[in-house]
């Protein structure tokens, strides 16, 4: 089962982008800690270009080198801030609302992709990657937007590469944090960390009360998600350890309500943890916030409110329907 | 109990502000060693997961070249100009409107948002532009708070809209998990019971953005009191 726009194709494009970042770091006279940055981005490029054919251990040691470079502060961004504000304002004046066309093409492609493109196939060859149609549509949207952007601005093709490199360098090593955390989650799961956590929670609380069982499950989902950075990883562990034995077997609760509201309780944990890097840390870097926990700080009151509401919603429905 | 040492490493590492990548890798190595894996096996695991999860960076990497290009040609300035004409716009209202659009669209199964593709080029500059039009020059910390809340709006809309749609990953993951245990659960029921939380989440965001608007007004007046020369609001 193959496809024209496979996710693998976009990994290759990403690899080329990372190679370009490394190349620019090499050639930029203002690049601080040149060799650290060059090696970091080059290793990343190699993993994206050849990831599937490399032995996993080789990738692992490569990642170790990247981590050491980041920890020794050898991966830094250059000072240059891009084009001056007056120049940008003048060009905004000249181009007007046409500037929005490329950005709006990205969500438009997502809609068309989900509704139409994902269904197109020529025999066994699909237009979009069947398993990850949303990602493939996003990639196609990015390419279409780039073409439109070049046309509207009349810029040379080197400009998006340069500006893209600048933004990627301002995110820096945080870019690979989500993948590292996914790996940590995998190792935790393999080591059986989840079972220990659910035994601890179930053993420490008076779970003979139906309300306590609900609160333990919702809060447990949120807390374990905060440790793992991922509600999907927490769900099976906490549901097996707390939800099913206490809410369903002991107190005869409704499985669908428990699961639905339980997963959303996990998302409250996602809002509060640096471990959910791609939702909290990467955006802070992308928006060039000085405090990389600023997004989490904005979200904590929201997360606690929604979590409390989830406990109430589940308590009043799970034993009733 | 000893298996929890990884969580301890993470907590201590974050508290002491060590490099996050280093903390995460150290936690993985320690946990793996405690569970009886060799160092080489642990590196193998890191490599395997790192390659499997490459998709996580795609939304950023595929979008930043076009966002960078458009920003170079004044996208953010244009977004600010446009929003300045809307008299009722405040930072909070812009963010709340985006949250609503994000939540409804993803509940219908369409993923149109994201930090790189919507928040950085459009939502954050529009929210900043609205606050700027209303109050004049903004202190740096206020701008950062507005951007952080724009990111929060994206996350809230995304998380608490998506489970209302049955074809989404989370619902299918739960279905698969219960199928494995031979427990009969309807995907429709799980999606349906996501609706009350979706409303609560939106209400919480409404309250949060109102607090943000009041905070913007307060911080601007504090700055003006300290430094009377800063520019005034719109005429």
């Amino acid at each position: 089962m193959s496809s024209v726009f496979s996710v693998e194709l976009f990994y290759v494009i990403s690899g080329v982008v990372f190679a370009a970042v490394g190349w620019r770091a090499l050639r930029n006279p203002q690049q601080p800690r040149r060799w650290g940055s060059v090696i970091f981005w080059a290793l990343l490029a190699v993993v994206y270009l050849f990831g599937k054919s490399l032995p996993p251990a080789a990738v692992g040691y490569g990642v170790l080198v990247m981590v050491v470079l980041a920890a020794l502060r050898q991966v830094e961004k250059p000072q240059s801030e891009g084009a001056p504000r007056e120049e940008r304002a003048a060009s905004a004046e000249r181009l007007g609302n046409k500037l929005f066309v490329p950005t709006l093409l990205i969500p438009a492609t997502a809609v068309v992709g989900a509704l139409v493109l994902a269904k197109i196939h020529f025999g066994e060859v699909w237009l979009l990657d069947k398993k990850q149609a949303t990602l493939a549509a996003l990639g196609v949207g990015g390419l279409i937007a780039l073409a439109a952007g070049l046309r509207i601005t009349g810029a040379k093709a080197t400009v998006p590469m340069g500006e893209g490199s600048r933004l990627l360098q301002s995110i820096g090593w945080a870019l690979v944090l989500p993948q590292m955390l996914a790996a940590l989650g995998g190792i935790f799961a393999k080591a059986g960390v989840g079972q220990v956590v659910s035994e601890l929670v179930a053993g420490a609380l008076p779970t003979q009360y139906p309300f306590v069982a609900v609160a333990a499950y919702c809060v447990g989902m949120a807390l374990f998600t905060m440790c793992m950075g991922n509600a999907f990883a927490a769900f099976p562990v906490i549901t097996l350890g707390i939800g099913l034995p206490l809410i369903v077997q002991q107190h005869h609760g409704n499985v669908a309500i428990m699961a639905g509201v339980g997963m959303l309780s996990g998302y409250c944990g996602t809002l509060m943890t640096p471990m959910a890097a791609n939702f909290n840390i990467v955006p802070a870097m992308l928006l060039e916030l000085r405090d990389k926990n600023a997004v989490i700080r904005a979200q904590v009151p929201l997360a606690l409110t929604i979590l409390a509401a989830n406990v109430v919603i589940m308590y009043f429905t799970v034993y009733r329907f | 109990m000893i298996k929890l040492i990884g969580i301890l490493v993470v907590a201590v590492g974050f508290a002491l502000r060590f490099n996050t990548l280093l903390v995460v890798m150290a936690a993985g190595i320690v946990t793996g060693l405690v569970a009886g894996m060799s160092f080489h096996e642990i590196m193998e695991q890191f490599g395997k997961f790192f390659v499997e999860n490459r998709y996580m960076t795609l939304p950023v990497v595929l979008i930043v070249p076009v966002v960078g290009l458009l920003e170079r040609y004044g996208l953010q300035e244009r977004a600010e100009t446009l929003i300045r004409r809307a008299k009722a716009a405040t930072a909070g209202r812009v963010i709340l409107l985006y949250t609503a659009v994000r939540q409804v669209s993803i509940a219908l199964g369409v993923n149109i948002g994201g930090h790189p593709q919507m928040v950085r080029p459009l939502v954050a500059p529009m929210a900043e532009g609205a606050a700027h039009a209303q109050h004049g020059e903004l202190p740096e910390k206020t701008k950062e708070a507005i951007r952080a809340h724009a990111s929060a709006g994206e996350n809230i809309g995304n998380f608490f809209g998506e489970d209302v749609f049955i074809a989404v990953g989370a619902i299918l993951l739960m279905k698969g998990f219960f199928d494995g245990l031979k427990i009969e659960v309807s995907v429709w029921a799980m999606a349906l019971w996501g609706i009350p939380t979706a409303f609560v989440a939106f209400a919480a965001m409404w309250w949060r953005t109102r607090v943000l608007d009041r905070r913007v007004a307060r911080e601007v007046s504090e700055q003006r009191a300290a430094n009377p020369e800063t520019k005034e609001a719109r005429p």
Side-chain angles (χ1 to χ4, degrees):
Chain A
M1 202 167 52
S2 56
S3 45
V4 181
F5 293 103
S6 65
V7 168
E8 203 59 43
L9 170 72
F10 294 115
Y11 291 150
V12 172
I13 294 176
S14 303
V16 173
V17 173
F18 294 140
V21 178
W23 175 251
R24 290 185 60 91
L26 184 66
R27 302 306 301 262
N28 183 353
Q30 266 117 44
Q31 180 70 41
R33 317 282 155 79
R34 169 164 303 137
W35 288 105
S37 299
V38 171
I39 295 169
F40 181 90
W41 294 103
L43 280 171
L44 200 54
V46 169
V47 173
Y48 272 72
L49 289 171
F50 312 110
K52 253 193 175 165
S53 22
L54 291 169
V59 177
Y61 287 106
V63 170
L64 181 62
V65 173
M66 289 163 69
V67 171
V68 170
L69 286 173
L72 296 175
R73 297 183 182 280
Q74 297 300 308
V75 188
E76 300 279 310
K77 62 168 178 170
Q79 276 301 314
S80 71
E81 282 298 309
R85 190 173 164 96
E86 299 76 49
E87 200 184 314
R88 282 183 282 142
S91 124
E93 189 78 15
R94 181 166 52 87
L95 295 168
N97 289 341
K98 270 192 276 180
L99 274 171
F100 294 123
V101 174
T103 29
L104 296 176
L105 281 171
I106 298 168
T109 313
V111 176
V112 176
L115 299 177
V116 184
L117 300 183
K119 298 189 174 90
I120 298 176
H121 61 106
F122 314 97
E124 282 297 284
V125 181
W126 291 73
L127 186 61
L128 298 184
D129 205 309
K130 248 193 112 186
K131 281 189 195 138
Q132 290 181 300
T134 311
L135 266 181
L138 177 81
V140 173
L143 295 177
I144 293 175
L146 184 59
L150 287 171
R151 206 185 142 76
I152 287 166
T153 59
K156 279 192 260 167
T158 47
V159 178
M161 273 297 180
E163 296 294 315
S165 297
R166 188 170 64 76
L167 287 176
L168 286 175
Q169 282 209 310
S170 72
I171 302 172
W173 53 260
L175 195 67
V176 300
L177 189 53
Q179 283 157 277
M180 290 297 289
L181 289 160
L184 180 62
I187 290 173
F188 275 3
K190 221 178 163 189
V193 172
Q195 280 71 10
V196 181
V197 171
S198 50
E199 278 161 28
L200 275 178
V201 174
L205 295 169
T207 48
Q208 66 273 31
Y209 303 106
F211 179 80
V212 175
V214 165
Y217 179 60
C218 291
V219 176
M221 272 295 294
L223 284 178
F224 197 53
T225 300
M226 288 175 76
C227 296
M228 304 289 278
N230 185 344
F232 287 12
F235 182 79
V237 173
I238 302 296
T239 303
L240 275 178
I242 304 175
L244 287 173
L246 301 179
I247 296 179
V248 177
Q249 279 150 23
Q250 194 177 347
H251 299 295
H252 310 291
N254 178 316
V255 179
I257 297 174
M258 176 196 76
V261 182
M263 183 64 97
L264 295 171
S265 304
Y267 292 173
C268 296
T270 312
L271 294 171
M272 294 189 284
T273 176
M275 305 289 277
N278 48 344
F279 296 112
N280 298 333
I281 306 295
V282 172
M285 304 303 251
L286 187 65
L287 292 166
E288 293 166 271
L289 304 181
R290 271 169 304 180
D291 175 7
K292 71 180 189 316
N293 291 319
V295 178
I296 296 174
R297 273 183 230 287
Q299 287 173 165
V300 167
L302 291 163
L304 294 177
T305 310
I306 301 167
L307 182 60
N310 276 342
V311 173
V312 173
I313 290 169
M314 194 190 287
Y315 178 64
F316 282 109
T317 56
V318 77
Y319 301 121
R320 209 152 299 196
F321 292 95
Chain B
M1 278 302 271
I2 185 82
K3 286 176 182 168
L4 298 183
I5 191 165
I7 294 176
L8 186 72
V9 171
V10 169
V12 172
F14 280 151
L16 296 178
R17 294 181 176 270
F18 285 128
N19 178 286
T20 316
L21 281 182
L22 186 68
V23 171
V24 170
M25 193 156 214
I29 292 171
V30 171
T31 305
L33 290 176
V34 165
M37 296 157 76
S38 75
F39 186 76
H40 187 77
E41 275 175 305
I42 296 168
M43 286 300 118
E44 215 164 23
Q45 289 292 318
F46 266 106
K48 176 174 147 281
F49 284 111
F50 197 84
V51 169
E52 273 175 15
N53 289 289
R54 280 179 299 173
Y55 72 90
M56 286 180 153
T57 59
L58 285 187
V60 177
V61 181
L62 296 174
I63 299 301
V64 290
V66 65
V67 169
L69 167 72
L70 295 169
E71 285 185 357
R72 171 95 170 63
Y73 283 85
L75 179 68
Q76 296 194 342
E77 286 72 15
R78 185 65 200 167
E80 284 180 35
T81 312
L82 200 67
I83 205 73
R84 224 166 279 171
R85 299 202 190 126
K87 293 271 184 268
T90 66
R93 285 182 195 153
V94 170
I95 293 168
L96 189 66
L97 177 67
Y98 174 69
T99 307
V101 171
R102 182 79 170 109
Q103 204 173 11
V104 169
S105 61
I106 198 161
L108 298 174
V110 184
N111 200 357
I112 61 163
H115 294 101
Q117 59 267 50
M118 291 300 282
V119 178
R120 157 110 197 186
L122 296 175
V123 183
M126 281 189 168
E128 270 185 64
H132 185 258
Q134 214 187 351
H135 301 290
E137 231 24 77
L138 304 172
E140 202 54 40
K141 64 171 179 178
T142 312
K143 286 187 195 167
E144 298 218 348
I146 293 173
R147 282 186 241 158
H149 280 73
S151 278
E154 156 69 29
N155 285 336
I156 295 283
N158 180 10
F159 293 178
F160 299 100
E162 91 173 346
D163 277 10
V164 179
F165 184 64
I166 58 156
V168 85
I171 301 276
L172 298 178
L173 175 121
M174 293 191 279
K175 177 74 181 156
F177 169 77
F178 289 119
D179 282 352
L181 296 171
K182 306 244 183 309
I183 297 174
E184 193 68 35
V185 187
S186 145
V187 286
W188 288 106
M190 287 189 285
L192 179 73
W193 288 105
I195 293 174
T197 306
F199 279 104
V200 171
F202 187 74
M205 196 65 208
W206 172 78
W207 157 74
R208 192 81 182 116
T209 51
R210 278 182 43 132
V211 173
L212 174 69
D213 279 340
R214 265 181 264 142
R215 174 172 165 189
V216 170
R218 191 186 66 232
E219 287 180 356
V220 169
S221 62
E222 275 169 11
Q223 172 180 272
R224 202 158 292 141
N227 181 9
E229 275 110 89
T230 41
K231 275 187 242 152
E232 277 299 311
R234 73 176 145 222

